[in-house]
């Protein structure tokens, strides 16, 4: 049974709420069903409200934003750690290499979910294909 949020007027699609729901891995329409069917694969339809999610075209956007965030967090932190403690090169490579990978794996699905939520809320790429009431 669809939640009350899923039965909203089809014109009402709050962007911030949809992006937050997507970032939490939930359907941007109802906030209940899972957005992803695997790590980064978006489900074709919401299992809860049956909202079509296959219209999403996040493409490389989430990856670019993840790289931007991780590198802008990592580079100053790397410099600060080096100045403060002067660790060995191997310590720096292992800690910042693993830290970058872990942070990227944590951020990427959240950013992709937010992208899908934004596209859904803004009716991009077929999300708004249904005729709007006039
Ligand atoms: Zn849903």
């Amino acid at each position: 049974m669809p939640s009350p949020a899923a039965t909203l007027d089809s014109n009402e699609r709050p962007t911030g709420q949809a992006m937050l729901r997507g970032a939490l891995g939930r359907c941007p329409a109802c906030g209940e069903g899972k957005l992803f069917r695997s790590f980064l694969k978006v489900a074709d339809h919401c299992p809860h409200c049956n909202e079509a999610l296959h219209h999403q075209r996040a493409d490389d956007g989430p990856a670019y934003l993840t790289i931007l965030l991780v590198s802008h967090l990592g580079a100053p932190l790397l410099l600060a750690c080096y100045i403060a403690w002067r660790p060995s090169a191997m310590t720096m490579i292992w800690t910042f290499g693993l830290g970058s990978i872990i942070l990227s794996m944590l951020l990427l699905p959240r950013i992709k979910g937010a992208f899908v939520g934004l596209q859904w809320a803004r009716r991009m790429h077929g999300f708004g294909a249904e005729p709007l009431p006039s």
Side-chain angles (χ1 to χ4, degrees), residues 51-110:
E51 176 76 20
L53 300 170
H54 59 88
H55 300 298
Q56 67 84 21
R57 296 287 179 271
D59 297 334
D60 294 338
Y64 287 132
L65 192 56
T66 300
I67 291 166
L68 186 77
L69 290 173
V70 170
S71 60
H72 279 84
L73 288 172
L77 189 63
L78 190 141
L79 183 62
C81 287
Y82 183 74
I83 290 171
W85 298 296
R86 300 277 171 171
S88 70
M90 286 310 289
T91 303
M92 295 287 280
I93 289 170
W94 277 106
T95 54
F96 281 92
L98 284 175
S100 297
I101 291 169
I102 291 169
L103 189 58
S104 297
M105 299 301 258
L106 291 173
L107 284 177
L108 194 52
R110 279 141 189 88

Side-chain angles (χ1 to χ4, degrees), residues 9 11 16 52:
D9 179 16
N11 287 328

Side-chain angles (χ1 to χ4, degrees), residues 105-121:
M105 299 301 258
L106 291 173
L107 284 177
L108 194 52
R110 279 141 189 88
I111 292 173
K112 184 168 184 174
F115 263 71
V116 173
L118 173 70
Q119 292 175 353
W120 177 83

Side-chain angles (χ1 to χ4, degrees), residues 23-59:
L24 294 173
R26 299 289 168 193
C27 165
C30 68
E32 297 290 327
K34 285 188 172 183
L35 180 62
F36 296 106
R37 64 183 150 103
S38 65
F39 182 62
L40 285 176
K41 284 198 187 298
V42 176
D44 288 338
H45 293 86
C46 172
H48 190 258
C49 70
N50 208 31
E51 176 76 20
L53 300 170
H54 59 88
H55 300 298
Q56 67 84 21
R57 296 287 179 271
D59 297 334

